[in-house]
Amino acid sequence: MKVSAVRFMLSAFAALAVTGVVHATAEDAAAAADSDVKVLNADNFKEWADAQEIGLVEFYAPWCGHCKALAPEYEKAATSLKEENISLAKVDCTENQALCEEMQIPGFPTLKIVKGGDFDAYNGTRKEAGIVSYMRKQLLPALSELSSDNFNKFTVSDRVVIVGFIEDTASPEYAELESLAKELRDEYTFGVVTDKELAAEQGIAESGVVVYKTFDDGKDVFEGDITADALRSFVKASSVPIFDEISGENYSMYAQTGLPFAFAFFDSDESRKLLEEQIYPVAKQHKGAINFVLIDANKYASQADHLNLKHEWPAFAIQNQGNLAKFPFPQDKEITEESIESFVKDFTNDKLAPSYKSEPIPETNDKGVFVLVSDQFEEVAMDKNKDVLVEFYAPWCGHCKRLVPIYDKLGDVLKSNENLVIAKMDAIANDIPSSDPALQIQGFPTIVLIRGDDNSVVEYHGNRSVESFIEFLEENAANSITYDKAALAEEEDEDEKEKEQVVVKKDNDDEVEVEVEVDAETEVEVVAEDEDDRVPADKAESDKQEDDGHDEL
């Protein structure tokens, strides 16, 4: 029996929990009794869910690290929301496996909103403030009608509140505001004032929109025609501070704006103060165009590595979100308001060249697989006289390591083709100097063909065997390829005889041929041969076998 996708992760603690070896202590039971989080199981789940006007339920496993981190935040949120009749509950999926299967729980923790027995995805953060804010929004209409009685309380009810001042509810402006409010209701609180006198009290003479917020100057006034597209960009840009510290907790808030990042690295109170004094005026001037953020170099030094900065502080760099192009500020120059303003101005005027990290060009490169580095990428990969098959890999990636002998054999078999290059590139040690979205690597290994006639990119998704690679090249390469088919077939027959297989027996005695990889944390990953088993590229540093001691954004 061949399985298209078989994957499970089983840690030592998970195994203990499932087999009943890990038991709740008396202290745990006492804590549960004092908790504002309702404990659900298969017996009371439906009754509780049907009774909720609005509620939130967490599906978790006791051994899950993310669940443990969420627990205190979830508990505090439950306490904050109980007086508003918003109930928070939890289900232990190791004790209620059938229920969690019925609810189609993909991983832990999974949170779902419940309204009268119906469930929707929860898309908020896992912090108390984020949970409270998100759940309160679920009680409100997408666009709340405001009057002089509730206006002041409403504008301070959340971190960011958007209020439209539109007298005519039948106007196109009202329709645009209402459309955006429905689209972004999970992220922001929207209100509308139709009272002309109240609008005048707030300094609004004609139709307008104001973003009220608990930081910076307290509010931003939208100027321009009221359309959903224009408002969307304005609201997202206004929802982040002019110049504040970034961390893993608030990164997504900045990222959702789509604006470039300007990272200012500090390693002490002194260097932070210097950056605040010198960069804040520049950040304020470019508000809404670039996200200026402070970042702790003691915690996030690896982010500086990504930006091609040396570990010398303070430091500054800009990065585009779209193509991830990096622009490090020269570290031999002093950080001043004038030097940063000049640098940022050159960036906005497209006068800066991106920085690309590269290994040295190899002195010899005559094997079947060409070792590609960033400094040679344009010359080799974009040569329109040749088709170039490139494997982008990470040195620590287990799937990449297993591919090495197969890929080396492919290079040897096809080496005689003058118009074809079989190449590999360490995508951790080298940046990819291209803005082509098809070359923005999302996982390892990623294998692409850059066609010789027009440099178009075709990603490889087939089986990782020499025959499959050759078949792919025959179908997609601009140039024809040749190879010794008889010799290849003979080699493959020998390989099959030597190949060791691991067999996993299922409960029904069917057998599935799989590859098994065991990592350093006693987790077992089972991957069927035809599954897309790439390791996500954005986990590059955090998933290395040796921890560098730094956090990741």
Side-chain angles (χ1 to χ4, degrees):
M1 174 183 176
K2 187 174 182 181
V3 176
S4 61
V6 180
R7 181 182 288 259
F8 66 85
M9 297 294 286
L10 182 62
S11 73
F13 275 103
L16 290 173
V18 172
T19 54
V21 177
V22 176
H23 297 284
T25 64
E27 291 81 1
D28 293 334
D34 295 334
S35 171
D36 290 316
V37 177
K38 175 75 172 178
V39 177
L40 301 178
N41 54 42
D43 296 329
N44 63 2
F45 181 81
K46 188 177 187 306
E47 180 183 359
W48 176 87
D50 290 344
Q52 301 309 306
E53 179 182 351
I54 179 73
L56 183 65
V57 57
E58 175 201 3
F59 298 89
Y60 74 100
W63 46 263
C64 164
H66 294 299
C67 303
K68 293 176 182 177
L70 171 62
E73 301 294 328
Y74 198 68
E75 187 67 51
K76 288 185 288 186
T79 302
S80 297
L81 290 169
K82 68 177 181 179
E83 293 184 1
E84 301 175 44
N85 292 321
I86 301 176
S87 178
L88 270 63
K90 62 183 180 180
V91 175
D92 182 346
C93 286
T94 65
E95 295 183 356
N96 299 275
Q97 295 182 52
L99 173 60
C100 293
E101 289 177 7
E102 180 183 343
M103 293 299 297
Q104 299 180 334
I105 303 305
F108 306 124
T110 291
L111 288 87
K112 289 181 179 287
I113 294 173
V114 58
K115 297 179 181 178
D118 295 324
F119 294 88
D120 289 315
Y122 170 84
N123 296 313
T125 70
R126 295 177 184 173
K127 293 295 181 181
E128 177 199 2
I131 295 170
V132 170
S133 172
Y134 191 93
M135 294 306 295
R136 281 175 176 165
K137 292 184 183 74
Q138 306 307 308
L139 290 176
L140 298 172
L143 187 61
S144 299
E145 295 183 6
L146 306 181
S147 66
S148 56
D149 294 332
N150 64 355
F151 180 84
N152 289 333
K153 184 177 180 181
F154 186 85
T155 56
V156 296
S157 63
D158 208 346
R159 181 179 172 278
V160 175
V161 176
I162 298 94
V163 177
F165 296 85
I166 304 172
E167 185 177 358
D168 183 3
T169 58
S171 66
E173 290 86 357
Y174 189 96
E176 291 288 315
L177 177 65
E178 186 176 39
S179 172
L180 185 67
K182 290 178 179 178
E183 175 192 334
L184 301 179
R185 66 168 298 157
D186 288 344
E187 299 174 47
Y188 305 106
T189 301
F190 284 83
V192 63
V193 172
T194 57
D195 183 341
K196 192 173 183 179
E197 291 184 5
L198 178 56
E201 290 176 10
Q202 301 303 317
I204 306 297
E206 299 179 357
S207 294
V209 177
V210 177
V211 176
Y212 295 90
K213 50 191 182 179
T214 59
F215 50 89
D216 291 345
D217 298 329
K219 69 177 184 180
D220 289 332
V221 180
F222 175 74
E223 297 177 356
D225 296 333
I226 298 177
T227 67
D229 287 341
L231 275 178
R232 184 185 301 105
S233 299
F234 179 77
V235 167
K236 288 185 178 293
S238 295
S239 67
V240 298
I242 293 173
F243 191 37
D244 201 359
E245 186 171 348
I246 194 172
S247 67
E249 296 175 6
N250 62 6
Y251 172 81
S252 61
M253 176 186 72
Y254 288 95
Q256 71 174 355
T257 67
L259 299 175
F261 278 102
F263 292 100
F265 288 84
F266 68 91
D267 67 335
S268 64
D269 291 341
E270 182 181 359
S271 60
R272 176 175 178 142
K273 183 178 179 181
L274 180 148
L275 293 172
E276 289 174 335
E277 292 175 349
Q278 299 301 321
I279 295 180
Y280 183 85
V282 184
K284 190 170 185 178
Q285 183 179 343
H286 292 274
K287 175 185 174 183
I290 300 173
N291 286 327
F292 283 78
V293 294
L294 287 156
I295 181 168
D296 188 344
N298 298 308
K299 293 180 64 178
Y300 300 108
S302 59
Q303 185 68 18
D305 297 334
H306 296 326
L307 297 168
N308 300 341
L309 287 168
K310 300 175 183 177
H311 288 199
E312 298 173 359
W313 323 113
F316 182 81
I318 300 175
Q319 183 173 30
N320 271 324
Q321 284 205 63
N323 59 14
L324 303 181
K326 312 163 188 181
F327 303 87
F329 180 78
Q331 291 186 269
D332 58 353
K333 293 183 65 174
E334 184 181 1
I335 292 178
T336 65
E337 180 180 341
E338 293 75 19
S339 63
I340 294 297
E341 170 56 31
S342 176
F343 184 77
V344 173
K345 185 176 180 180
D346 285 344
F347 168 78
T348 58
N349 291 330
D350 293 326
K351 292 184 178 179
L352 295 181
S355 169
Y356 297 112
K357 176 173 56 178
S358 179
E359 292 180 294
I361 296 175
E363 294 183 5
T364 59
N365 214 342
D366 54 2
K367 294 185 177 180
V369 175
F370 186 91
V371 178
L372 186 62
V373 298
S374 183
D375 286 345
Q376 271 190 312
F377 190 86
E378 185 70 25
E379 174 191 349
V380 176
M382 297 301 171
D383 184 349
K384 289 191 175 181
N385 294 315
K386 297 180 180 180
D387 294 292
V388 183
L389 185 72
V390 187
E391 177 208 357
F392 297 99
Y393 72 94
W396 43 262
C397 164
H399 301 304
C400 305
K401 293 175 183 177
R402 288 197 295 274
L403 179 59
V404 169
I406 299 169
Y407 204 68
D408 283 347
K409 183 179 293 183
L410 176 69
D412 292 337
V413 168
L414 300 179
K415 188 176 181 181
S416 61
N417 291 268
E418 294 183 356
N419 293 327
L420 174 68
V421 177
I422 306 299
K424 64 179 181 180
M425 183 171 179
D426 182 344
I428 302 301
N430 297 274
D431 292 328
I432 302 171
S434 172
S435 59
D436 189 335
L439 291 173
Q440 303 305 312
I441 305 306
Q442 302 300 318
F444 299 120
T446 290
I447 303 164
V448 302
L449 171 66
I450 303 175
R451 285 173 51 89
D453 53 357
D454 57 4
N455 285 163
S456 61
V457 178
V458 185
E459 186 168 354
Y460 179 78
H461 292 290
N463 226 343
R464 291 175 193 163
S465 66
V466 174
E467 293 92 343
S468 295
F469 280 121
I470 291 176
E471 182 180 347
F472 171 77
L473 290 170
E474 288 176 329
E475 291 177 357
N476 295 283
N479 302 288
S480 59
I481 62 172
T482 61
Y483 62 97
D484 189 336
K485 296 182 181 181
L488 176 61
E490 188 175 326
E491 283 188 27
E492 290 300 323
D493 287 341
E494 290 298 321
D495 288 343
E496 283 299 319
K497 293 177 183 178
E498 298 175 1
K499 184 178 179 181
E500 294 182 1
Q501 295 179 332
V502 179
V503 177
V504 175
K505 285 189 175 290
K506 300 179 68 180
D507 293 338
N508 61 1
D509 291 332
D510 289 331
E511 294 184 346
V512 183
E513 293 184 1
V514 296
E515 296 176 359
V516 177
E517 178 183 356
V518 182
D519 69 16
E521 297 181 356
T522 69
E523 292 181 331
V524 179
E525 184 173 11
V526 179
V527 184
E529 287 185 348
D530 60 345
E531 182 181 357
D532 184 3
D533 53 1
R534 293 182 300 175
V535 179
D538 59 3
K539 296 178 69 180
E541 294 297 327
S542 60
D543 279 1
K544 285 190 300 186
Q545 291 188 3
E546 293 185 8
D547 186 0
D548 62 4
H550 296 120
D551 293 337
E552 285 289 308
L553 286 178

